[in-house]
Amino acid sequence: MPQNTLTVADTRTNLADMDRSSMEEFFVDIGEKPFRAIQVIQWIHQQGVTEFNSMTNLSKPLRERLIETARIDFPEIVTEQQSRDGTRKWLLRVDAHNCIETVFIPERDRGTLCVSAQAGCAMKCSFCATGKQGFSRNLAVGEIIGQVWTANKLLGHFDSKQRIISNIVMMGMGEPLLNLDNVFAAINLMLDDLAYGLARRRVTVSTVGVIPAMDKLREKAGVSLAISLHATNNNLRDMLVPLNKKYPLEEVLAASRKYSQAQNGDPVTFEYVVLDGINDSEQDARDLVKLLRDLPAKVNLIPFNSFPGTLYQRSSPATIDRFREILMNAGIITITRRPRGEDIDAACGQLVGHVAPRAGSGNIGVAVI
Ligand code: SAH
């Protein structure tokens, strides 16, 4: 079972790290009926309750026993920022050295939560601020679902019982498909009717293209898939997304096709960060059309979001419009992602949190905070 590292000294089991099946196991292991898991999951994820003493449908002796052996700990909120456009960003502390970021993006017809899967990222995509800061560690289940829990709490969902978060995208810090087991358990809770009850299509996992894990995601979770493509040839993609050297473009596209087929032809979303003079020519757009020709695909063009020290620049609106037009004329549904929360550095690729990158062979480096 994944361990939460929030309270190193506290050896009690953190029930925040458990989806329904692992919590059932926990209760059976302590000699209780498995249905206790149903009650506790509802208390935590539908009522927002983390005190065993408030769980009134558990007997007093069971509550006392749980207080002794278990805990329900989610990441602690360090700061909250709100953008002029209504986007909210939270910095959450997951341990003494690491903080992660979570972003809520309200729109007219939906509310999307952008969730992190790792503290930092090991992918080193050259245009991404998270990638520049390095990798610290995988997040535990409770640290991933804790972002959903905390956002629901702060947005008033547990009091109003109104669904404020309608969509979840795993597009925050880190590469979700390199933290598979914990991401799967967190997705189970996102989908579980006893917890957040989201439809599979409303949960999206974004990946640079970790092919073996894409197959597992399809089999085990069946949620929507987004691929960070960003280039139409291997030379350029090697530079922008270094994992391309291991899993090249054509293999990523073949795995995407397989994914879509298994999902009854649901389209895969391809994210394409538009970089001035790098991948934004009309020829690039035509090449992208060719690559996606026989694949159920949607394209999200992401205007580049700047960060200190980067050499890349955002393409002009006219260039991005022209690029989009070429794709649309070829019948590919293409959306230009409107940058949200730029004034609070909450836009794509700007999430940095505070992480202590690992130096060399897994040592924890100097703490940033
Ligand atoms: N590692 C996963 C999840 C992160 S998703 C993935 O790469 O898919 C974050 C999205 O924002 C990715 O599509 C990423 O390529 C994009 N992105 C990263 N840096 C960006 C930047 N500076 N401007 C715009 N988009 C960026």
Side-chain angles (χ1 to χ4, degrees):
M1 185 156 309
Q3 291 296 303
N4 188 321
T5 51
L6 185 70
T7 323
V8 180
D10 194 336
T11 54
R12 295 175 301 170
T13 309
N14 188 4
L15 302 191
D17 281 332
M18 295 182 185
D19 63 5
R20 200 199 297 195
S21 63
S22 48
M23 206 185 291
E24 280 172 354
E25 259 173 54
F26 167 82
F27 277 106
V28 169
D29 282 350
I30 64 166
E32 290 286 333
K33 292 270 187 302
F35 78 88
R36 295 290 178 206
I38 293 179
Q39 296 173 312
V40 173
I41 291 226
Q42 283 181 306
W43 278 115
I44 300 173
H45 297 289
Q46 288 188 341
Q47 309 288 337
V49 167
T50 53
E51 297 293 328
F52 293 116
N53 266 331
S54 307
M55 301 184 179
T56 45
N57 55 359
L58 305 184
S59 69
K60 194 114 198 295
L62 176 57
R63 279 187 248 161
E64 276 162 13
R65 194 156 165 226
L66 286 175
I67 291 168
E68 268 169 37
T69 57
R71 62 196 170 95
I72 302 166
D73 278 335
F74 288 117
E76 180 194 322
I77 305 153
V78 183
T79 54
E80 165 172 311
Q81 287 172 279
Q82 183 150 4
S83 157
R84 281 191 295 274
D85 67 18
T87 300
R88 290 163 79 164
K89 179 171 88 165
W90 296 286
L91 184 68
L92 303 176
R93 183 185 304 284
V94 290
D95 60 48
H97 305 290
N98 294 291
C99 291
I100 54 159
E101 291 184 321
T102 306
V103 178
F104 176 67
I105 307 149
E107 286 172 285
R108 202 168 24 85
D109 56 346
R110 65 172 97 178
T112 303
L113 191 72
C114 180
V115 168
S116 296
Q118 297 179 317
C121 187
M123 296 294 90
K124 296 197 179 336
C125 297
S126 58
F127 52 86
C128 178
T130 311
K132 289 275 168 216
Q133 82 186 146
F135 174 70
S136 181
R137 68 170 174 85
N138 278 333
L139 296 183
V141 180
E143 293 165 345
I144 301 170
I145 203 65
Q147 298 168 61
V148 181
W149 186 90
T150 302
N152 270 306
K153 184 123 197 144
L154 295 172
L155 295 168
H157 162 78
F158 294 129
D159 299 326
S160 68
K161 296 287 174 269
Q162 294 203 351
R163 177 165 282 170
I164 299 166
I165 296 170
S166 61
N167 295 66
I168 295 178
V169 292
M170 300 228 48
M171 295 185 184
M173 298 167 68
E175 170 49 55
L177 295 192
L178 291 179
N179 183 14
L180 260 195
D181 289 344
N182 294 351
V183 164
F184 282 150
I187 289 176
N188 287 342
L189 287 163
M190 294 171 196
L191 304 180
D192 193 334
D193 283 335
L194 297 178
Y196 300 97
L198 291 177
R200 283 177 199 278
R201 283 192 184 153
R202 291 183 177 270
V203 175
T204 302
V205 170
S206 179
T207 176
V208 290
V210 186
I211 292 175
M214 283 166 64
D215 292 336
K216 289 193 189 135
L217 182 73
R218 196 185 63 232
E219 287 157 19
K220 285 196 160 180
V223 292
S224 296
L225 177 70
I227 299 284
S228 290
L229 197 68
H230 308 316
T232 54
N233 61 70
N234 282 317
N235 277 346
L236 181 59
R237 197 162 189 268
D238 281 351
M239 272 168 52
L240 298 177
V241 181
L243 194 75
N244 192 65
K245 293 182 198 129
K246 188 162 183 193
Y247 301 120
L249 202 56
E250 51 289 348
E251 290 177 23
V252 171
L253 289 171
S256 304
R257 182 174 297 116
K258 209 161 122 197
Y259 198 96
S260 166
Q261 279 164 353
Q263 303 268 90
N264 302 318
D266 280 357
V268 172
T269 300
F270 290 90
E271 295 156 283
Y272 193 96
V273 59
V274 199
L275 303 165
D276 184 33
I278 305 280
N279 65 357
D280 65 348
S281 71
E282 295 191 7
Q283 188 58 46
D284 289 318
R286 288 191 289 271
D287 289 346
L288 188 54
V289 168
K290 267 190 229 141
L291 282 183
L292 302 182
R293 187 168 283 149
D294 46 45
L295 216 150
K298 289 189 292 195
V299 172
N300 263 357
L301 298 177
I302 317 178
F304 172 66
N305 295 306
S306 199
F307 55 89
T310 182
L311 297 176
Y312 294 113
Q313 286 181 343
R314 182 179 291 185
S315 308
S316 72
T319 305
I320 299 177
D321 283 350
R322 180 71 194 123
F323 199 100
R324 176 167 175 269
E325 203 178 272
I326 293 171
L327 294 170
M328 292 289 278
N329 286 344
I332 300 172
I333 294 176
T334 306
I335 292 165
T336 304
R337 203 181 280 172
R338 195 158 53 94
R340 298 289 304 261
E342 278 184 298
D343 51 329
I344 56 168
D345 288 343
C348 304
Q350 292 186 316
L351 303 186
V352 287
H354 292 281
V355 304
R358 281 190 197 176
S361 55
N363 302 322
I364 299 293
V366 181
V368 188
I369 45 168

